[in-house]
Amino acid sequence: MGAHRSHALADRAVLSACVRRLRRLPLEHLVALAGPVVRLIHVGQMRRRVFTAATTFWLFLSQVLGPARACPARSGVRNAQAWLTQTDLSPSTSAYCQARARLSQTMLDKLLAHLVDQLPHHGGARWMGRLVTVVDGTTLSMPDTPDNQRAYPQSSRQRPGCGFPTMRLAALFSLATGALVGVASGSLHVHERTLWRGLWPLMENGSVVLADRGFCGFADYCLLLERGVDAVMRLHARRSTGVRTLARLAPGDWLVEWKKTNICPKWMSTPQWRALPDVLRVRHIRVPVAVAGFRTRVLTLATTILDAKAYPAPCFADLYRRRWMAELFLRDIKITMGMDI
């Protein structure tokens, strides 16, 4: 655990250095550096419209990375004046703000999908030769407006007039590159497991999903296997009954059988629940946590990867320790984007 923490700190130091370097780059250098991966064509000056979609995207990106916070739109216009060498470009921010509002979600989604596809070819090692995606959930505080309160109501335990609307997010990351593969959002009353299921089409056949115990469930494991996706998650605390040990594969490593209960999950229909197998074979792997100050001393991982020779228990311990990177990925996004609210 100590070595893992050292590696995590080293990775964050490298990431911070990269962000500082990007912030110092002039816009044209940023485009030259990231353009081959992002693949948005710079169209340069146009007589009818200066702020094309590609131009606006790069200006918006430099605005997000830049240190200016007082009037970010004004800094975007200044970048445009310097980049496009438009001597007659108005210093007004109106045209740029309108162009930024015209950036379509479809274009941004396609750009994200392309980045996710290309980044593994630019670095990032796979785990045991397999692609790993890691899922985690988070929340965002929102401005206290009537529209936000209606769309994202607060917890029923919250006193009226106190607190703020809260959005819940479920995010899926590439563990190798840190790229955000996909994100699903909902109100505080929608469980992150429900949001996560909407991201399943983004996981490749033959890949592995890594998650905390909040995502661990019988139906989830069965349906993921149908998609060709293996799971590595911390065993849920409620999975103490309906478990039968079949074999001891190694010290702290058991092949077990989960039995389907008679209680159908709320998010499934009864026919869907009945169609699932009555039993599911998984591995339970005990991982010691020898870190001073940690309350947890031992945790149990549940995985659908049953080959103990090709995938010995120690490799799962190392993999699960990296799950914490998702927490850091989310924090990096919030800090970089200024998403405290």
Side-chain angles (χ1 to χ4, degrees):
M1 244 353 223
H4 167 68
R5 181 177 295 179
S6 299
H7 289 312
L9 291 175
D11 291 341
R12 284 191 57 77
V14 172
L15 178 63
S16 298
C18 291
V19 172
R20 288 195 298 269
R21 180 189 173 205
L22 289 175
R23 285 176 171 171
R24 290 195 299 265
L25 286 177
L27 183 55
E28 60 271 19
H29 292 172
L30 175 65
V31 176
L33 177 66
V37 181
V38 177
R39 295 180 77 177
L40 269 174
I41 301 174
H42 166 47
V43 294
Q45 304 179 28
M46 294 187 65
R47 295 179 60 184
R48 294 186 178 180
R49 176 169 290 177
V50 174
F51 295 113
T52 63
T55 302
T56 305
F57 171 82
W58 287 113
L59 290 171
F60 192 14
L61 181 60
S62 67
Q63 171 188 330
V64 171
L65 292 174
R69 288 292 181 267
C71 186
R74 188 172 300 166
S75 68
V77 174
R78 290 172 181 169
N79 284 339
Q81 291 173 321
W83 183 30
L84 303 176
T85 62
Q86 288 275 358
T87 56
D88 58 344
L89 183 61
S90 170
S92 171
T93 61
S94 176
Y96 170 64
C97 291
Q98 293 178 40
R100 196 175 65 181
R102 287 194 299 268
L103 289 177
S104 69
Q105 188 65 44
T106 301
M107 184 198 80
L108 297 176
D109 289 341
K110 288 182 178 179
L111 174 59
L112 173 61
H114 172 75
L115 278 172
V116 171
D117 180 63
Q118 292 296 313
L119 282 177
H121 304 294
H122 293 262
R126 298 193 174 199
W127 175 77
M128 308 293 287
R130 301 180 66 175
L131 181 66
V132 177
T133 51
V134 54
V135 61
D136 199 14
T138 188
T139 57
L140 295 175
S141 176
M142 309 178 70
D144 191 7
T145 65
D147 288 342
N148 283 346
Q149 287 284 9
R150 283 191 294 269
Y152 302 95
Q154 299 169 208
S155 170
S156 57
R157 299 178 181 178
Q158 184 72 52
R159 281 189 174 187
C162 300
F164 294 88
T166 303
M167 175 187 291
R168 190 189 298 279
L169 299 177
L172 194 65
F173 293 95
S174 166
L175 189 63
T177 65
L180 178 66
V181 178
V183 62
S185 63
S187 75
L188 194 62
H189 301 277
V190 181
H191 198 280
E192 56 192 22
R193 282 177 66 178
T194 303
L195 296 174
W196 171 55
R197 293 185 191 102
L199 301 175
W200 283 8
L202 300 177
M203 294 185 290
E204 297 182 11
N205 190 328
S207 64
V208 178
V209 60
L210 180 65
D212 200 359
R213 59 186 173 187
F215 297 89
C216 181
F218 182 93
D220 300 85
Y221 272 39
C222 291
L223 296 177
L224 286 170
L225 281 176
E226 291 180 1
R227 292 176 169 268
V229 177
D230 279 307
V232 178
M233 303 183 190
R234 185 177 177 184
L235 183 67
H236 198 285
R238 293 184 180 179
R239 180 56 64 177
S240 57
T241 59
V243 177
R244 185 167 71 95
T245 302
L246 301 178
R248 182 175 180 268
L249 304 177
D253 188 358
W254 294 273
L255 178 64
V256 303
E257 196 173 66
W258 287 359
K259 182 180 179 181
K260 183 173 67 174
T261 66
N262 295 324
I263 302 175
C264 176
K266 295 180 180 179
W267 56 274
M268 292 188 76
S269 66
T270 301
Q272 288 176 321
W273 178 246
R274 290 176 178 172
L276 296 180
D278 292 331
V279 294
L280 176 68
R281 289 190 173 185
V282 299
R283 284 168 68 188
H284 283 186
I285 302 171
R286 297 188 67 186
V287 177
V289 181
V291 179
F294 277 38
R295 292 178 297 174
T296 303
R297 295 302 179 186
V298 177
L299 56 85
T300 303
L301 303 182
T303 178
T304 53
I305 302 175
L306 306 182
D307 191 343
K309 292 184 178 180
Y311 299 87
C315 70
F316 288 96
D318 294 336
L319 174 64
Y320 191 75
R321 292 187 184 107
R322 296 181 61 194
R323 192 207 66 81
W324 178 250
M325 295 301 296
E327 307 277 354
L328 303 182
F329 295 156
L330 286 169
R331 186 175 67 179
D332 291 338
I333 291 175
K334 288 183 177 182
I335 293 174
T336 303
M337 297 291 292
M339 294 168 62
D340 51 337
I341 298 178

